[in-house]
Amino acid sequence: MRPLISTTDLAAALAGPAGDRPVVLDVRWRLAGPPGAESYQEGHVPGAVFADLDRVLAGEPGEGGRHPLPDPEDLQRDLRAAGIRTATPVVAYDDADGSVAARAWWLLRWAGHNEVAVLDGGYAAWTAEGHPVSTEEVHPEPGDITVRPGAMPVLDADEAAALARDGLLLDARAAARYAGETEPVDPRAGHIPGAVNAPFAGHTGADGRWHAPAELAERFASLGLRPGEPVGAYCGSGVTASSVVLALELAGHPGAGLYAGSWSHWSRDPQRPAATGTLPG
């Protein structure tokens, strides 16, 4: 399954035979609210199941960062509750820039489930094109998915530091946070020394749709990525960096590593250095 699916293709899939329909995950989430669950109740793609970023797509915040990877057993329970079966295609959407949907895409891939895609343009594109919405509460039959973690590469702090030195480590945060000019959430400002700033907002257009693969490939080349070079990504808490991994796959660079703890993990350790300014350092 390709990483992206169009609204037209999703509508056709949902209109197909019941046994062939994908499970649709509504993963709308906003740092400052309102809660995504409220938006889901007001209207969602028909048949979609709500999956909360903080409860389903991440573990408890703490030493591992603000959005650490969930415990595999907990993730398996929640994915089964959403009706996901071993061979079931899954489509995730949000209503912003696609980054939370990309986290769902990455997490399912990490769990060993390859049949997953992000809805291009998200909920905004779905409604703008006149596709139906529903307020009906969904109670799917339990699935049987088995979570087998490790199918996508995960970086720890030491590996991220080494990649920033010996390969290409992309920092998905906005330029001001990368430069250390502001830090509204985490303990310290700055970035991992050697990391290159690649704000996740550059992957999508004003309408929330992802840029074409050739355009993404050109962007990553301009950031210094060479063919075959090891590459990885981090952000504030490991969510928006997932969109970098997805964008890299679209651009022809699959298998990028994700520093899941990201800056929220790195900045907790006062022994780890922090670079500031617009240059990698």
Side-chain angles (χ1 to χ4, degrees), residues 72-81 83-88 107-114 143-151:
E73 290 187 4
D74 293 341
L75 179 62
Q76 178 172 287
R77 177 201 63 217
D78 291 332
L79 295 180
R80 287 184 174 185
I84 299 175
R85 306 185 66 81
T86 300
T88 304
L107 195 61
L108 279 157
R109 290 280 301 274
W110 172 79
H113 193 78
N114 291 325
D144 63 1
I145 185 174
T146 297
V147 168
R148 297 182 175 88

Side-chain angles (χ1 to χ4, degrees), residues 211-223:
H211 293 312
E215 187 174 347
L216 292 171
E218 183 178 346
R219 179 173 191 250
F220 289 121
S222 73
L223 293 168

